[in-house]
Amino acid sequence: MVLKIFFPRCCNSADSGLLVGRWLPGQESAVVLAVIHYPFIPGQVKRYLSELQAQSQVELSVLGSWSMPKEGQEGMESFLKDLSTIFPQDRWLQLSRGAGRRGFACQLVERGGGSAQDGGDGGGDSDGVIFVHYDQRKVMLSQLHPPEGGGGANGTAEPSELRLVFQTVARSQPLFATDQYDDGPLKVTHWQSEGREASIIVELTKQASVPLCALLTWLLSLWTRLCRISLFNMWPVRFVTSKLSTCVQLSYRTDHLRTVSSPKKASDHMEFMRKANIFVSFFVDVALGLLLISWLYRANRISRLADILVPAADHVAKELQELLQWLMGAPAGLKMNRALDQVLGRFFLYHIHLWISYIHLMSPFIERILWYVGLSACLGLTFALSVLSDIVALLTFHIYCFYVYGARLYCLKIYGLSSLWRLFRGKKWNVLRQRVDSCSYDLDQLFIGTLLFTILLFLLPTTALYYLVFTLLRLVAVLFQGVIHLSVDFINSFPLFAMGLRLCRPYRLAEGVKFRVLSEEPGKPLHLMMEINPLKYSSVLQWYRTPTYSCYPKDSWVALCKKLFVGELIYPWKRKGTKTD
């Protein structure tokens, strides 16, 4: 059986003392966490380890002795070897390193004084011992993710040896709380021996975050009470707010701020990363919004935008008028039903006339409306984009109405023709059983069915042409809104903190480890270096992407084309779990 000893690089030059760590359960492996320097009192060491076990919830113990001979300490190695009687263990490691030598000498003493494995300069069975050196700082701060296709860290499967190593180092944080500047009876060497990693800015931020979170929680509670007023819960108001992108984004950001300002400490790594990603995303969103405000209110750009917006909407309406007049004639030389063509054309022209009148009525107030709407960018760029999406929806509302009218009329004729076609084949649709059954019809029913089928069939080309034109116009507006919504969704869901962590400190998000040979000499233990293999950027995006209200249909292209062919309405704002009308 090969004995693997995970040894921290920071202890390679530590003074002689005791090895503190843990034997991994079910594995022939030991994890060395720190070295307690000589001189020490054994009773103080036992009391110190018992206090650490209560804080870290890890079974820490004295694994053995570490000998680093110096001048005046010739008998130190024999003294440390005798400590195995004071710290009774089933197995006692005796590690030593000579001056100017790279490798270690290792001896494993079983209970009873027998030497099970011996490796080093003195010969013996050195092939049975492998030293795995690791960077304790990186292992301490990293989070080992399961491999692709594997179970999670909290799964029911037995944890692997590497995962036990990472968990042991991570849960031993109280052991690393002391450094060389702390006054105490014990001097310990570990990854923070030269001074704990801390910053005065970080500490001040932690102190200031407590009252700031309390204030934010109080403001959110006031906002929640305001939203619960019966006036805002009435059906018309609730229906309109559910369709406005700005209201949806406001609700979404409110939930995120409630999550970030929660006084409850993150219970695990994923919850901490979610809070960090939300906070960074909100900070960047507000920063981009402030940049947009500084650009809008400089050089009188709001007035220029208002001067462009009204003529643009007027121009679109006039282009639609010319398009309808072209459809009321003989478009592309097609033979249309004259009566139906004139009725549909005049119907849609009347709607465009109403829309032009509405635009001219609102034109004096457009600049003031845009001025106040621009202030919404102080809440974030996503709010400005959501407001832009709602403005586009309002400016193209007449196109949406034309699309709904044409789609309903076209869908009615398609379903009527399909029903009458079943009549010719002696079949009918069974509503109760939701299937097509055979049926016998008399002569009058067949005559009326034939007459209706002929009328609908000859009126179909005219209706289909109007439906096709307005569907294409509607898809152009939907495509523009879709780009805006994708931008908002990207800002809300992109894990900026996790990506920054992966870029600046790749060891924090570990996908696995790789080993590099440090020393391989005959008659001596094998020395390996364990290096952390960071997560891929695609895996970081998959693991830490913040869930959003993604409002785009998950239908395939075939299902989408089928809906367009039969005339079913397509609502791009419908979310999961909602039904279309």
Side-chain angles (χ1 to χ4, degrees):
M1 184 67 71
V2 178
L3 174 64
K4 283 173 284 190
I5 302 174
F6 292 86
F7 197 85
R9 293 176 56 188
C10 56
C11 297
N12 286 345
S13 302
D15 295 336
S16 301
L18 295 176
L19 297 173
V20 177
R22 178 194 181 196
W23 290 98
L24 298 182
Q27 308 286 342
E28 280 293 322
S29 305
V31 181
V32 178
L33 299 174
V35 175
I36 299 179
H37 300 165
Y38 179 82
F40 50 80
I41 300 175
Q44 292 178 343
V45 174
K46 292 182 179 180
R47 184 165 55 254
Y48 176 65
L49 291 180
S50 62
E51 294 175 356
L52 289 177
Q53 288 182 5
Q55 298 176 10
S56 62
Q57 298 179 353
V58 176
E59 189 178 351
L60 300 177
S61 62
V62 177
L63 301 179
S65 61
W66 164 257
S67 178
M68 188 74 175
K70 293 184 178 180
E71 295 182 2
Q73 296 182 355
E74 289 75 9
M76 179 63 65
E77 186 171 357
S78 59
F79 167 74
L80 295 174
K81 185 182 300 184
D82 295 337
L83 291 177
S84 59
T85 58
I86 302 177
F87 300 96
Q89 303 290 339
D90 294 338
R91 290 174 289 185
W92 182 266
L93 287 175
Q94 294 180 0
L95 306 183
S96 61
R97 181 183 180 184
R101 295 184 181 180
R102 188 173 185 180
F104 298 167
C106 174
Q107 185 177 9
L108 177 63
V109 179
E110 299 284 352
R111 181 180 291 274
S115 178
Q117 294 177 356
D118 188 8
D121 297 339
D125 187 12
S126 62
D127 296 334
V129 180
I130 297 178
F131 283 96
V132 181
H133 299 264
Y134 67 96
D135 193 324
Q136 200 170 49
R137 174 176 178 267
K138 294 182 177 181
V139 174
M140 173 68 197
L141 299 178
S142 64
Q143 174 68 23
L144 184 62
H145 294 74
E148 295 183 1
N154 298 326
T156 57
E158 190 72 20
S160 62
E161 181 181 24
L162 287 176
R163 191 166 295 279
L164 288 174
V165 173
F166 275 73
Q167 290 178 356
T168 299
V169 178
R171 294 175 182 176
S172 302
Q173 189 172 1
L175 176 64
F176 308 134
T178 56
D179 54 42
Q180 63 179 358
Y181 302 105
D182 292 334
D183 295 331
L186 300 177
K187 298 297 181 181
V188 185
T189 295
H190 47 68
W191 71 283
Q192 290 196 124
S193 298
E194 299 301 324
R196 292 189 296 272
E197 284 195 348
S199 171
I200 184 64
I201 299 178
V202 174
E203 295 299 327
L204 291 176
T205 303
K206 290 181 179 179
Q207 296 295 329
S209 63
V210 177
L212 183 61
C213 289
L215 177 62
L216 187 58
T217 304
W218 180 73
L219 293 176
L220 289 175
S221 63
L222 290 181
W223 173 253
T224 304
R225 293 177 184 177
L226 180 64
C227 293
R228 290 177 180 176
I229 298 177
S230 58
L231 178 62
F232 294 102
N233 291 325
M234 296 177 64
W235 178 83
V237 179
R238 188 173 65 252
F239 177 79
V240 172
T241 54
S242 65
K243 297 299 182 288
L244 292 177
S245 301
T246 307
C247 295
V248 175
Q249 176 64 18
L250 183 61
S251 175
Y252 180 74
R253 278 304 186 192
T254 301
D255 293 339
H256 272 186
L257 289 177
R258 189 177 291 110
T259 300
V260 173
S261 62
S262 175
K264 183 180 179 181
K265 189 178 180 180
S267 58
D268 55 6
H269 171 75
M270 294 301 295
E271 186 177 354
F272 168 77
M273 292 296 292
R274 181 172 180 268
K275 286 188 175 183
N277 286 323
I278 290 174
F279 177 78
V280 175
S281 174
F282 178 76
F283 180 78
V284 173
D285 187 19
V286 173
L288 294 176
L290 294 178
L291 289 177
L292 179 61
I293 288 179
S294 65
W295 180 83
L296 282 176
Y297 292 93
R298 188 185 304 163
N300 202 19
R301 289 190 175 93
I302 293 290
S303 299
R304 296 179 185 178
L305 186 60
D307 294 338
I308 296 174
L309 188 61
V310 176
D314 199 6
H315 177 72
V316 171
K318 289 181 179 179
E319 290 292 333
L320 283 176
Q321 278 185 329
E322 295 179 3
L323 177 63
L324 286 173
Q325 290 173 359
W326 178 71
L327 291 176
M328 291 172 65
L334 297 176
K335 183 68 175 178
M336 309 292 289
N337 186 280
R338 184 66 178 175
L340 181 60
D341 192 13
Q342 292 294 321
V343 170
L344 292 178
R346 291 175 181 175
F347 177 74
F348 291 133
L349 282 173
Y350 177 71
H351 279 73
I352 292 179
H353 174 71
L354 291 178
W355 185 254
I356 293 177
S357 301
Y358 171 73
I359 292 295
H360 290 170
L361 181 65
M362 293 295 296
S363 57
F365 310 100
I366 292 296
E367 182 178 353
R368 183 171 298 179
I369 292 174
L370 290 179
W371 196 89
Y372 286 109
V373 165
L375 293 178
S376 65
C378 66
L379 298 177
L381 180 63
T382 54
F383 282 92
L385 293 176
S386 300
V387 171
L388 177 62
S389 176
D390 293 333
I391 291 176
V392 171
L394 292 175
L395 292 178
T396 60
F397 184 71
H398 54 307
I399 296 178
Y400 170 72
C401 293
F402 296 163
Y403 164 70
V404 172
Y405 297 153
R408 291 300 189 189
L409 188 59
Y410 175 78
C411 182
L412 179 63
K413 291 190 176 183
I414 288 293
Y415 279 102
L417 288 172
S418 62
S419 179
L420 294 173
W421 177 249
R422 286 194 293 267
L423 182 142
F424 295 149
R425 296 184 294 135
K427 297 181 180 298
K428 71 172 183 178
W429 175 256
N430 193 329
V431 180
L432 295 178
R433 298 183 181 273
Q434 294 294 309
R435 68 183 184 185
V436 177
D437 295 335
S438 299
C439 181
S440 59
Y441 298 95
D442 55 21
L443 187 60
D444 295 337
Q445 291 174 329
L446 291 174
F447 174 76
I448 295 176
T450 303
L451 183 62
L452 292 176
F453 183 82
T454 305
I455 295 173
L456 292 178
L457 183 62
F458 283 101
L459 294 179
L460 181 64
T462 304
T463 307
L465 182 60
Y466 277 88
Y467 168 70
L468 176 62
V469 171
F470 293 127
T471 299
L472 292 177
L473 292 175
R474 174 61 180 165
L475 289 179
V476 171
V478 166
L479 181 62
F480 184 74
Q481 286 185 276
V483 173
I484 297 176
H485 288 177
L486 281 176
S487 303
V488 173
D489 186 77
F490 177 79
I491 296 175
N492 287 332
S493 64
F494 190 75
L496 286 172
F497 179 78
M499 283 296 182
L501 206 61
R502 170 62 180 85
L503 181 63
C504 300
R505 294 187 175 184
Y507 60 86
R508 293 289 300 269
L509 307 177
E511 187 178 25
V513 297
K514 53 185 177 182
F515 297 93
R516 177 170 53 87
V517 177
L518 289 179
S519 175
E520 185 178 10
E521 300 179 12
K524 294 184 179 180
L526 176 64
H527 290 261
L528 302 176
M529 180 62 196
M530 184 177 72
E531 298 177 349
I532 293 179
N533 195 21
L535 271 177
K536 300 178 181 178
Y537 285 100
S538 58
S539 300
V540 173
L541 186 62
Q542 178 182 359
W543 272 87
Y544 298 107
R545 183 178 182 272
T546 306
T548 61
Y549 61 87
S550 299
C551 55
Y552 302 98
K554 306 300 181 181
D555 298 332
S556 62
W557 287 104
V558 176
L560 184 62
C561 292
K562 181 181 178 181
K563 288 183 177 181
L564 291 174
F565 180 75
V566 299
E568 292 186 15
L569 296 180
I570 299 175
Y571 294 94
W573 58 78
K574 287 294 179 181
R575 295 174 286 278
K576 292 182 179 180
T578 60
K579 299 179 181 179
T580 57
D581 296 333

